[in-house]
Amino acid sequence: MIIRKAEIIMTAVKKEQYPATVVPEIAFAGKSNVGKSSMINALLNRRSLARTSSQPGKTQTINFYNINDMLNFVDLPGYGYAKVSKTEKSKWGAMIDTYLHNRNQLREVFLLVDIRHEPSQNDIQMYNWIKECGYTGYVIASKADKLSRSQQIKSIAVIKKTLEIKENGLVYPFSATSKAGVEEIWNLFENVLGI
Ligand code: GTP
Ligand code: MG
């Protein structure tokens, strides 16, 4: 995909704040600090369109990005952020739940997990939630630059086992730092969207 235009269109907390766009949407879920916002920047070839931080909990709203007036990327707030109170956690759950259930143009939700770690209980829950909502269950294994090629293969096997993924073609290694996987992920999106 040639990126002619990439801009943030809305920062939403409530349903009423979702943009009134009709283009298809792709959303990114995953624990705080896993690299969701960094991946958006890498895929769009923009350095700091999506705000990133080494401190977990940077993205706490649902952020909508317009790409080429053709599709939206949706950066979801991360989970598993230790400092968050119970009330905030339930607000987070309600915010994601509302989005997943009220957005007709949402085509697919991609779960990001850190390639170095076995998926956590939260990751497993999020993955099952995504599938229960009727999405395919694609996983992007982030920060692939931190592992050698052979370690990546081993880690992907662990991720598949933990998330009980039996099919091939659902887990994709990716690095926002080295840009490894950019092509593959764009091909995947184009397949998913049928464009
Ligand atoms: P929240 O907004 O808190 O949910 O986090 P996020 O998932 O959006 O993570 P973010 O993109 O802000 O990245 C978190 C940290 O991981 C930052 O310090 C990034 O520089 C780093 N990071 C992200 N992607 C990569 C990657 O591919 N490789 C490496 N080595 N570091 C990465
Ligand atoms: Mg973020």
Side-chain angles (χ1 to χ4, degrees), residues 5-10 44 49 64-69:
K5 186 172 178 181
E7 59 186 12
I8 182 149
I9 42 176
M10 193 63 82
L44 298 176
L49 179 65
F64 294 80
Y65 296 89
N66 165 22
I67 295 117
N68 291 351
D69 297 321

Side-chain angles (χ1 to χ4, degrees), residues 75-94:
D75 193 3
L76 297 171
Y79 50 80
Y81 165 39
K83 279 189 199 143
V84 165
S85 69
K86 254 197 175 153
T87 338
E88 279 178 278
K89 273 185 194 156
S90 72
K91 265 202 285 184
W92 173 90

Side-chain angles (χ1 to χ4, degrees), residues 55-137:
Q55 300 290 103
K58 181 70 190 172
T59 313
Q60 301 209 359
T61 49
I62 300 180
N63 296 346
F64 294 80
Y65 296 89
N66 165 22
I67 295 117
N68 291 351
D69 297 321
M70 229 177 99
L71 77 142
N72 290 344
F73 275 177
V74 180
D75 193 3
L76 297 171
Y79 50 80
Y81 165 39
K83 279 189 199 143
V84 165
S85 69
K86 254 197 175 153
T87 338
E88 279 178 278
K89 273 185 194 156
S90 72
K91 265 202 285 184
W92 173 90
M95 185 162 46
I96 306 263
D97 194 62
T98 304
Y99 175 71
L100 293 182
H101 288 109
N102 290 280
R103 201 63 177 160
N104 285 336
Q105 54 274 67
L106 178 57
R107 292 286 179 276
E108 202 64 68
V109 183
F110 291 81
L111 178 70
L112 273 79
V113 295
D114 189 319
I115 199 163
R116 295 168 295 175
H117 309 303
E118 186 178 338
S120 66
Q121 278 306 314
N122 284 335
D123 292 326
I124 296 170
Q125 273 176 22
M126 188 74 225
Y127 191 63
N128 290 336
W129 194 6
I130 290 170
K131 287 198 304 178
E132 280 159 22
C133 290
Y135 300 103
T136 310

Side-chain angles (χ1 to χ4, degrees), residues 166-185:
K166 295 187 182 68
E167 308 90 314
N168 290 323
L170 292 182
V171 185
Y172 291 78
F174 181 80
S175 167
T177 305
S178 73
K179 306 275 175 83
V182 166
E183 280 275 319
E184 288 82 355
I185 300 281

Side-chain angles (χ1 to χ4, degrees), residues 2-70:
I2 297 162
I3 312 299
R4 286 176 286 99
K5 186 172 178 181
E7 59 186 12
I8 182 149
I9 42 176
M10 193 63 82
T11 292
V13 176
K14 298 185 279 188
K15 194 165 77 180
E16 295 70 34
Q17 297 166 325
Y18 299 169
T21 49
V22 293
V23 295
E25 275 173 16
I26 289 181
F28 306 113
K31 89 172 202 295
S32 247
N33 218 40
V34 70
K36 299 175 294 299
S37 302
S38 301
M39 183 179 77
I40 289 177
N41 290 333
L43 291 173
L44 298 176
N45 220 354
R46 299 290 193 277
R47 207 185 293 196
S48 52
L49 179 65
R51 302 288 298 279
T52 66
S53 168
S54 56
Q55 300 290 103
K58 181 70 190 172
T59 313
Q60 301 209 359
T61 49
I62 300 180
N63 296 346
F64 294 80
Y65 296 89
N66 165 22
I67 295 117
N68 291 351
D69 297 321
M70 229 177 99

